[in-house]
């Protein structure tokens, strides 16, 4: 099995087999992300090489594999025919496979379009994990996400129209104190248009070697306190107007929230209201620039 550079996977893929399809991230500019800043440069691995890894895994654990994730940062960007080929090959080699997933940023999904997404679904891809981060254009531009709210909506709707499952990731606190309210409201608006299967919450933790940490240290970005993050989360949840599953399956969050919207909205708001009454010392440490 061959791995090159950092290998990240969503927590929901903790039990998935990881077969590397691409190396690095073709965008690699987000100011909050340190994962590939020191390389390696983005490239798609040759299909033959990936299939060798699939062969090796199938010899060792073929019957046990039910879920497969293809790292790295944006494997949706690899040529569609290559991604489809490795999906098909995996379906042949792992008889009990029920789920194949990748990370995919909105610009690459939109570039490929609906026909390619349908091709990938037919080849066996089941779910795409998209970093929405925010639905506010000012924030997306400031963090150099390389996309807009309109493009994120377009991408999400393409994925859903293709019959693929969709996880959208939101970073709480990404607008700082100044744009907390528009971050919550506009993100809720974008999610309501996309109607993803999952909304997955993360809380901003400024990482070492990121431009965002530098901005914080220079006083140009103000982090939210745990209570402000919770108030932002409440505003976000209150304003999501679609059926979706909300999870906060990440160590960065101050409160573990899990439920189906809109049915669990009132319960989730009550849980947040309770936590808003907690002493600040009860929340996790801030981890600013320590990771
Ligand atoms: S697109 Fe994802 S992996 Fe690439 S720099 Fe942005 S957050 Fe990091």
């Amino acid at each position: 099995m061959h791995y090159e550079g950092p290998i990240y996977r969503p927590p929901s893929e903790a039990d998935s087999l990881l077969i590397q399809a691409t190396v690095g991230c073709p965008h690699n500019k987000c100011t909050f992300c340190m994962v590939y800043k020191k390389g390696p440069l983005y490239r798609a691995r040759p299909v033959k090489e990936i299939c060798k890894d699939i062969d090796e895994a199938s010899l060792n654990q073929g019957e046990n594999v039910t879920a497969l994730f293809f790292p790295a940062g944006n494997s949706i960007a690899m040529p569609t025919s290559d991604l489809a080929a490795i999906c098909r090959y995996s379906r042949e080699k792992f008889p009990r496979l029920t789920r194949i997933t990748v990370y995919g940023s909105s610009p690459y999904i939109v570039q490929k379009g609906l026909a390619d997404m349908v091709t990938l679904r037919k080849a066996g891809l089941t779910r795409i994990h998209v970093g929405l981060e925010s639905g506010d254009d000012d924030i997306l531009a400031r963090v150099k996400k390389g996309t807009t709210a309109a493009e994120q909506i377009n991408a999400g709707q393409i994925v859903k129209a293709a019959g693929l499952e969709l996880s959208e990731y939101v970073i709480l606190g990404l607008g700082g104190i100044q744009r907390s309210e528009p971050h919550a409201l506009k993100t809720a608006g974008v999610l309501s248009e996309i109607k993803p299967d999952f909304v997955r919450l993360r809380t901003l933790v400024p990482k070492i070697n990121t431009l965002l940490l530098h901005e914080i240290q220079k006083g140009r970005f103000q982090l939210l306190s745990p209570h402000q993050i919770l108030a932002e989360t409440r505003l976000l949840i209150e304003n999501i107007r679609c059926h979706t599953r909300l999870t906060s399956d990440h160590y960065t969050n101050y409160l573990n929230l899990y439920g189906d919207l809109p049915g669990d909205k009132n319960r989730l708001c009550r849980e947040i209201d309770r936590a808003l009454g907690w002493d600040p010392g009860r929340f996790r440490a801030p981890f600013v620039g320590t990771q």
Side-chain angles (χ1 to χ4, degrees):
M1 196 71 62
H2 296 88
Y3 295 110
E4 184 182 340
I7 300 295
Y8 270 63
R9 51 122 184 99
S12 57
E13 304 294 345
D15 297 326
S16 302
L17 174 68
L18 306 183
I19 301 272
Q20 187 163 19
T22 60
V23 175
C25 167
H27 178 59
N28 208 17
K29 290 189 179 73
C30 301
T31 66
F32 56 85
C33 173
M34 78 312 171
V35 181
Y36 307 106
K37 291 293 187 290
K38 292 190 169 169
L41 289 179
Y42 172 78
R43 67 183 177 86
R45 294 181 71 208
V47 170
K48 267 192 185 165
E49 241 179 69
I50 302 168
C51 288
K52 267 193 199 164
D53 284 349
I54 294 170
D55 287 339
E56 189 185 326
S58 106
L59 276 178
N60 295 333
Q61 41 185 320
E63 291 294 324
N64 299 324
V65 176
T66 56
L68 170 58
F69 176 69
F70 287 125
N74 244 311
S75 293
I76 199 69
M78 73 189 288
T80 300
S81 55
D82 289 3
L83 183 51
I86 60 173
C87 286
R88 276 193 294 269
Y89 195 63
S90 303
R91 293 276 171 184
E92 279 171 30
K93 291 289 177 170
F94 304 113
R96 294 181 58 227
L97 194 57
T98 57
R99 195 174 81 215
I100 304 180
T101 67
V102 289
Y103 278 132
S105 289
S106 294
Y108 305 105
I109 293 168
V110 170
Q111 274 166 30
K112 285 183 184 284
L114 180 59
D116 280 25
M117 291 302 127
V118 170
T119 299
L120 291 171
R121 196 249 304 148
K122 287 181 176 166
L125 188 70
T126 44
R127 182 181 298 175
I128 303 183
H129 298 281
V130 175
L132 172 68
E133 329 300 9
S134 176
D136 177 30
D137 280 336
D138 286 1
I139 296 173
L140 290 171
R142 180 166 186 170
V143 302
K144 302 188 193 310
K145 187 66 196 174
T147 188
T148 61
E151 188 174 54
Q152 301 256 33
I153 293 170
N154 190 8
Q157 290 179 341
I158 287 172
V159 171
K160 290 305 300 162
L164 290 158
E165 288 183 330
L166 177 61
S167 286
E168 293 277 358
Y169 292 75
V170 173
I171 303 182
L172 300 166
L174 193 60
I177 290 177
Q178 217 184 1
R179 291 203 70 77
S180 177
E181 188 176 316
H183 178 41
L185 294 176
K186 292 186 178 191
T187 302
V190 166
L191 290 168
S192 303
E193 300 260 350
I194 296 174
K195 305 178 180 62
D197 299 275
F198 304 94
V199 173
R200 300 186 187 275
L201 303 179
R202 279 85 185 91
T203 300
L204 178 64
V205 167
K207 298 285 175 93
I208 294 171
N209 296 325
T210 60
L211 195 54
L212 187 60
L213 178 61
H214 180 72
E215 285 179 9
I216 291 165
Q217 287 164 341
K218 292 284 174 194
R220 295 199 285 263
F221 182 95
Q222 280 75 44
L223 280 171
L224 273 67
S225 69
H227 287 107
Q228 288 168 323
I229 290 285
L230 291 178
E232 183 179 285
T233 311
R234 196 186 196 288
L235 193 60
L236 171 77
I237 292 173
E238 269 183 298
N239 285 282
I240 293 177
R241 309 209 185 283
C242 65
H243 288 264
T244 190
R245 175 158 295 174
L246 181 111
T247 90
S248 47
D249 52 346
H250 206 242
Y251 79 101
T252 55
N253 292 316
Y254 291 113
L255 190 65
N256 192 18
L257 296 165
Y258 182 89
D260 290 327
L261 297 177
D264 293 326
K265 192 178 278 192
N266 290 341
R267 172 184 57 80
L268 291 166
C269 287
R270 281 198 302 277
E271 285 178 20
I272 294 172
D273 288 342
R274 262 199 304 277
L276 280 167
W278 293 351
D279 186 87
R282 191 163 164 184
F283 297 105
R284 67 153 173 82
F287 309 140
V288 180
T290 60
Q291 301 178 339

